[in-house]
Every structure is written in structure tokens, then in C-alpha cells.
């Protein structure tokens, strides 16, 4: 990767030619083999880490003038900590086990910003490594080729995570294989949101066809040639250039679908048939797969649409008892407004948002003060209520 970046970024090429050990790790530029003095005057080797702003796959720029550092605070020849290195103790999630960020540094140039990567790295090397170079004739120019650590399901670099500094939180999602059962309005938005998370695999199940009404309650651009095709083909094609391991299957999940859910660690149920929901629930409980069920209870008795959006979480250890509460309908409701395909994309999207937030709370990404397993959003009053089983 560094080679292709050097071909398209003159400043990176200059750093390589000078002998710096460069690599990309979790969308950060890493410069290894950085010598410095510790508080006892001993020679130590650290690494500079800096957030990359990827303009395209092979063009990159700097986010700011700051860096992170793998190592303790560098010291002068006289044993005092090097001055003019603002910042403090911090951490950054990186893939490489030999890279442990301990602090951040800030040394802004007189102009307010560095003109390129070469100037930035040279500036920090002078400050951090100067005393070690003087005392031990240490050399940061090792020409070492470090292993790249950019394992990712994404086909584009996830610079959002590195820019936001939430790598250690996103990593909590990486081992999940998600099943989305039903790719109607809510399920299609769920798919769109989850595609942008680093989960290991997404399995979608829906045997239906993609028609005009689906385009009005699903995300993304409509290509006319998609109409009349199976949802399987539409959604597989839509996301294949964004990430790996999105697999959409043109079958429905029933009580006999154990094999389809092999490897699934979390599921979302987005079906509008109570009878089908009951079969799916039984299977998920049998397979010990935690899941979230989503639903809408809407009517237009007053001439306007009103009602609630529902998000219910079924943990493995209490799934059956939660089912027994009858919070999700397990039989079909006659004359249900939603089944007439009213175009309500904003409610589909909101219901999917609530479910993804709940899932990320369960996985430790978001703070969860209330621990709700059952949430109802009231459209009429625009308010949310929840149940957590506590008195």
C-alpha cells in the first residue's frame, strides 16, 4: 500500500527515499523506528502515528498538525522532558500489536500548518529524536518495510472511524455475523446502516421482488433496470463495490432454516406477518441467537396516520420469557394499515435507526443508561418510552 501511495503522493515518496519505515495502520500513517531518550537517558525506540485524510484510494493529505506517539515522553540530554510538545496521555486503536499509542503531541509550526507530510514528520523527528541522535548516533532512517495492517471488510478506507477517534469502539462489532430477516422498508434501511459498520458478514433474507413502491421506502438511488428483479440481486449489486461479505439470499426464513443461519451471532427480524414472526422467533431461540424485532403499529382512524414504532430486544438468556410478554404480535392482524404499502420511508429509517442504536448499545459502542429491551416511539407525540424490567 505504501508503494502505491508513494507513486501518487510526492511527500510520501520523499519520506520513503529518506529511509523512514512507513506503513498504514487503521487509516493512520505510521513511522516506526523513532529513537528517543527516556527519563533515565536510555535509548528507546518509538513510533509516530498520524491521522490520514484519504482524498481517494491513493491520494492522501493531513488532518492536522498533531501526532500520536508510541512511547513515553522523550527527554533532553540534560534529563528534562522535551518542551514544546503539547498534548497528553491518550490511546488510539491500531491493528498492529507492536503499536501502542500512549500520548499525543502538538507542535504547531509558525505558519499554523505544515505544507506536507514530509515537513510534518521531519519537524517532529528533529524534536523527538534530536537528543538520541546526538548521544547515541541513533538513526531513524532504517529503510525498513513494515507489515501493513489494514484488514478491513471495506473496499474504501474507513477514514470516518480514524477521524472520529472511535477505532476501539468500532472494533467491538468486527466479529459479528448479522442476519437481517426481511428486506422491506425497515429492513432495507437496516441493511444500509449495517453495511457501513465493520461487522464481519451481513446475511439478508427476502424472497420478494423489487418494485416501484420499494424504491419509495428504501435508501439509495433507483436504477430503472432494478425494477422487477429480486431484492437479492438489487441489494447484492448495490453494495458489492462498498464492502465485502454482504450476502443477500432470495429465500424466506422459516422453522426449517437452521442451515441458513449458520455462524450468525445477531439477528434483526423485520417481517410484517405475525405467523412468520412466530416461526422465526422459535428458530432463533433454538439456535441461541440474540435478536431485535422491529414493527410498526399504525392506523388512520382520524384520517391521518398515527401510531407507534417498536424495537424489542430478545437476549439469549431471557428470549422465551420476553416472547411470552407478547410485546411482538405472533399472529396476523386483519386490515393492518402498514400492509397496504403506505410510503413512510422516514418511519422505516427511524425504526431502523433505533434498532441499530440498541444493537450498538448491546455491543458496548454506545452508552446505555436505561437498558431498555423494549422501546416504543409514538408518532403522534414524537416521544420514546421504554421498558427495562426494573421496578
Amino acid at each position: 500500500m505504501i508503494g502505491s501511495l508513494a507513486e501518487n503522493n510526492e511527500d510520501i515518496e520523499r519520506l520513503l527515499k529518506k529511509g523512514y519505515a512507513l506503513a498504514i495502520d487503521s487509516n493512520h500513517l505510521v513511522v516506526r523506528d523513532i529513537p528517543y531518550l527516556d527519563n533515565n537517558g536510555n535509548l528507546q525506540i518509538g513510533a509516530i502515528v498520524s491521522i490520514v485524510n484519504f482524498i481517494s484510494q491513493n491520494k492522501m493529505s493531513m488532518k492536522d498538525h498533531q501526532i500520536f506517539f508510541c512511547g513515553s515522553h522523550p527527554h533532553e540530554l540534560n534529563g528534562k522532558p522535551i518542551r514544546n510538545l503539547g498534548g497528553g496521555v491518550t490511546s488510539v486503536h491500531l491493528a498492529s500489536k507492536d503499536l501502542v499509542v500512549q500520548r499525543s503531541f502538538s507542535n504547531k509550526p509558525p505558519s499554523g500548518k505544515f505544507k506536507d507530510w514530509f515537513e510534518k514528520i521531519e519537524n517532529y523527528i528533529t524534536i523527538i529524536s534530536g537528543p538520541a541522535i546526538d548521544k547515541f548516533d541513533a538513526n531513524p532512517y532504517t529503510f525498513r518495510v513494515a507489515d501493513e495492517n489494514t484488514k478491513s471488510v471495506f473496499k474504501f478506507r474507513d477514514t470516518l472511524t480514524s477521524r472520529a477517534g472511535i477505532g476501539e469502539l468500532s472494533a467491538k462489532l468486527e466479529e459479528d455475523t448479522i442476519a437481517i430477516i426481511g428486506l422491506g422498508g425497515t429492513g432495507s434501511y437496516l441493511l444500509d446502516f449495517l453495511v457501513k459498520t465493520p461487522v464481519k458478514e451481513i446475511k439478508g433474507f427476502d424472497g420478494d421482488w423489487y418494485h416501484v413502491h420499494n424504491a419509495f421506502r428504501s435508501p439509495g438511488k433507483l436504477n430503472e433496470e432494478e425494477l422487477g428483479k429480486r431484492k437479492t440481486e438489487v441489494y447484492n449489486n448495490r453494495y458489492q463495490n462498498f464492502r465485502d461479505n454482504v450476502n443477500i439470499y432470495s429465500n424466506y426464513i422459516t422453522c426449517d432454516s437452521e442451515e441458513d443461519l449458520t455462524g450468525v451471532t445477531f439477528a434483526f427480524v423485520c417481517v410484517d406477518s405475525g405467523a412468520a414472526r412466530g416461526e422465526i422467533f422459535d428458530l432463533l431461540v433454538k439456535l441461541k441467537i440474540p435478536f431485535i424485532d422491529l414493527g410498526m403499529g399504525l392506523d388512520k382512524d382520524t384520517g391521518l396516520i398515527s401510531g407507534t414504532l417498536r424495537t424489542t430486544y430478545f437476549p439469549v438468556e431471557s428470549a422465551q420469557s420476553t416472547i411470552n410478554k407478547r410485546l411482538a404480535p405472533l399472529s396476523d392482524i386483519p386490515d393492518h394499515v402498514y400492509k397496504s404499502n403506505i410510503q413512510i420511508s422516514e418511519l422505516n429509517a427511524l425504526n431502523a435507526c433505533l434498532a441499530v442504536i440498541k444493537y450498538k448499545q448491546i455491543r458496548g459502542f454506545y452508552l446505555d443508561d436505561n437498558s431498555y429491551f423494549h422501546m416504543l416511539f409514538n408518532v403522534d407525540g414524537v416521544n420514546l418510552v421504554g421498558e427495562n424490567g426494573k421496578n
Side-chain angles (χ1 to χ4, degrees), residues 130-156:
I133 292 172
D134 188 37
K135 182 175 181 179
F136 291 102
D137 196 25
N139 183 4
Y141 316 115
T142 63
F143 289 90
R144 182 160 71 96
V145 178
D147 291 334
E148 299 282 344
N149 277 283
T150 55
K151 182 186 74 172
S152 174
V153 294
F154 298 112
K155 296 182 179 180
F156 295 87

Side-chain angles (χ1 to χ4, degrees), residues 81-273:
I82 292 178
R83 301 172 60 189
N84 301 321
L85 284 175
V89 176
T90 191
S91 63
V92 175
H93 177 80
L94 299 171
S96 298
K97 301 303 181 186
D98 66 322
L99 296 174
V100 180
V101 169
Q102 297 180 38
R103 60 197 67 249
S104 64
F105 291 141
S106 175
N107 183 269
K108 186 180 290 188
S111 63
K113 63 179 183 179
F114 297 109
K115 67 179 182 180
D116 58 21
W117 282 106
F118 188 84
E119 183 180 65
K120 178 177 181 176
I121 298 305
E122 287 274 280
N123 174 78
Y124 279 105
I125 291 294
T126 300
I127 297 171
I128 294 170
S129 298
I133 292 172
D134 188 37
K135 182 175 181 179
F136 291 102
D137 196 25
N139 183 4
Y141 316 115
T142 63
F143 289 90
R144 182 160 71 96
V145 178
D147 291 334
E148 299 282 344
N149 277 283
T150 55
K151 182 186 74 172
S152 174
V153 294
F154 298 112
K155 296 182 179 180
F156 295 87
R157 296 183 179 93
D158 179 16
T159 54
L160 175 66
T161 294
S162 55
R163 286 168 66 90
I166 56 173
E168 78 283 3
L169 298 177
S170 291
K172 297 180 178 183
L173 313 177
E174 290 177 354
E175 297 305 314
D176 268 328
T177 293
I178 302 291
I180 304 174
I181 303 172
L183 293 171
T186 302
S188 64
Y189 278 100
L190 258 175
L191 175 63
D192 192 68
F193 295 147
L194 289 168
V195 158
K196 292 152 190 171
T197 68
V199 296
K200 182 167 58 178
E201 182 182 1
I202 299 170
K203 295 183 176 184
F205 299 92
D206 198 310
D208 213 343
W209 303 83
Y210 193 82
H211 295 148
V212 173
H213 71 272
N214 298 111
F216 278 89
R217 57 178 193 182
S218 63
K221 176 184 177 182
L222 170 65
N223 293 316
E224 191 171 350
E225 60 269 21
E226 294 175 338
L227 297 175
K229 294 183 177 179
R230 284 197 182 273
K231 292 179 182 178
T232 307
E233 185 177 354
V234 172
Y235 291 126
N236 274 326
N237 289 338
R238 189 169 291 183
Y239 296 110
Q240 67 178 349
N241 70 330
F242 190 83
R243 59 161 287 160
D244 295 320
N245 300 333
V246 176
N247 300 303
I248 314 299
Y249 302 96
S250 57
N251 61 284
Y252 300 104
I253 297 297
T254 69
C255 59
D256 299 320
S257 301
E258 286 190 35
E259 202 169 300
D260 291 314
L261 300 183
T262 299
V264 170
T265 58
F266 200 96
F268 294 87
V269 181
C270 311
V271 299
D272 56 13
S273 165

Side-chain angles (χ1 to χ4, degrees), residues 14 74 118 133 141 163 171 213 215 275 282 292-293 299 306 319-320:
R14 290 178 66 195
F118 188 84
I133 292 172
Y141 316 115
R163 286 168 66 90
H213 71 272
D282 288 344
I292 290 175
D293 181 70
D299 64 62
S306 63
Q320 190 58 56

Side-chain angles (χ1 to χ4, degrees), residues 300-317:
K300 57 174 184 177
D301 292 345
T302 64
L304 302 175
I305 295 175
S306 63
T308 57
L309 315 182
R310 178 184 54 77
T311 303
T312 310
Y313 170 48
F314 296 80
V316 170
E317 63 276 7

Side-chain angles (χ1 to χ4, degrees), residues 8 44 65 166 221:
N8 293 275
Q44 301 293 341
H65 67 277
I166 56 173
K221 176 184 177 182

